[in-house]
Amino acid sequence: EYGITWHEITPAIDAGEILKQRLFAISDDETALSLNTKCFEAGIESCAELVDELARGSARRTPQNLTERNYFGKHQRPESGCVLDWTRSADELAAMVRALDFGRYENPVGSAKIFRERRTLIVTGATVVAGATHAAPGTVTALTDQAVQVATGHAALSLTNFLSSDGREIGVKDAAARLQLRVGQRLGSLTADESERLTELNARLCQAE
């Protein structure tokens, strides 16, 4: 579930009383783009209602429960520079790809990435493949003109859309050629030290973006 909130502005950040909320379910194929669109729609619709309520003096104020708050600063980023960790489940990885999909709008967080032998590509489309896989995480289990299928910690993930590091669209066949992929090969995985170093580096670099 997700939503938008109108609240009073107070000296403490985001601590004012709630005036109106709109909550909605997150769909199975939700992306950052579709979620933002729903938020704008909910915000526009509820704003008109709130203005009328404020004009009539009928707006209801609800104190926030500050003990249940989470704060995410604008420089907080996903771990490992958004490089996909194949030891995680296919469900988790597909959700991460969707969560970093802002469509053609500016992406303020980061892009999901895969790599092999110092070559890196951005992934913008991924779906979970039904059924178990016995291949080691990161192993390419199928390769067609439509998708690169990769084993994960649980099930397989079908990668269907790619971008170069400068944002140009790349077909699946071209993506496989750039990474020199064949069935049975393994995509790169970060060591714990590499992951930690990349997370720290990204945290520093993103402050200058």
Side-chain angles (χ1 to χ4, degrees):
E1 194 173 52
Y2 205 72
I4 62 98
T5 301
W6 294 98
H7 64 81
E8 292 181 319
I9 298 298
T10 62
I13 297 176
D14 293 339
E17 291 185 320
I18 295 172
L19 299 174
K20 186 172 286 289
Q21 281 187 326
R22 278 287 190 277
L23 302 177
F24 48 83
I26 297 177
S27 64
D28 291 339
D29 60 349
E30 204 81 75
T31 67
L33 175 62
S34 63
L35 200 58
N36 279 340
T37 302
K38 291 180 179 179
C39 286
F40 277 111
E41 182 179 19
I44 291 170
E45 291 177 351
S46 58
C47 180
E49 296 176 10
L50 179 58
V51 168
D52 289 340
E53 292 171 2
L54 290 171
R56 295 194 305 267
S58 61
R60 300 178 61 181
R61 290 168 165 78
T62 304
Q64 295 193 51
N65 184 348
L66 302 183
T67 64
E68 295 185 354
R69 294 198 310 169
N70 291 314
Y71 176 76
F72 300 95
K74 71 175 183 177
H75 293 140
Q76 187 172 344
R77 296 290 189 271
E79 294 180 355
S80 308
C82 307
V83 174
L84 298 182
D85 178 0
W86 302 113
T87 63
R88 298 171 66 181
S89 72
D91 285 322
E92 290 179 289
L93 296 179
M96 182 174 178
V97 171
R98 295 196 309 274
L100 297 174
D101 179 5
F102 290 81
R104 296 185 179 276
Y105 291 92
E106 180 179 348
N107 181 334
V109 182
S111 300
K113 305 173 188 71
I114 60 173
F115 74 95
R116 182 173 182 272
E117 296 183 353
R118 295 183 177 272
R119 297 181 178 90
T120 303
L121 290 178
I122 294 170
V123 179
T124 59
T127 56
V128 178
V129 179
T133 178
H134 302 291
T139 302
V140 177
T141 56
L143 183 59
T144 69
D145 290 345
Q146 288 74 45
V148 177
Q149 184 172 303
V150 183
T152 73
H154 182 268
L157 190 68
S158 180
L159 310 177
T160 55
N161 299 89
F162 300 89
L163 300 175
S164 61
S165 58
D166 59 359
R168 290 178 296 170
E169 292 186 6
I170 299 175
V172 173
K173 190 173 183 179
D174 188 17
R178 291 192 184 205
L179 297 181
Q180 298 179 346
L181 295 180
R182 295 191 303 273
V183 174
Q185 288 181 325
R186 295 184 67 179
L187 286 164
S189 296
L190 298 172
T191 65
D193 180 63
E194 289 171 335
S195 176
E196 183 178 347
R197 288 166 55 197
L198 189 53
T199 299
E200 293 175 354
L201 177 62
N202 194 32
R204 294 200 306 270
L205 294 179
C206 73
Q207 298 184 41
E209 290 179 348

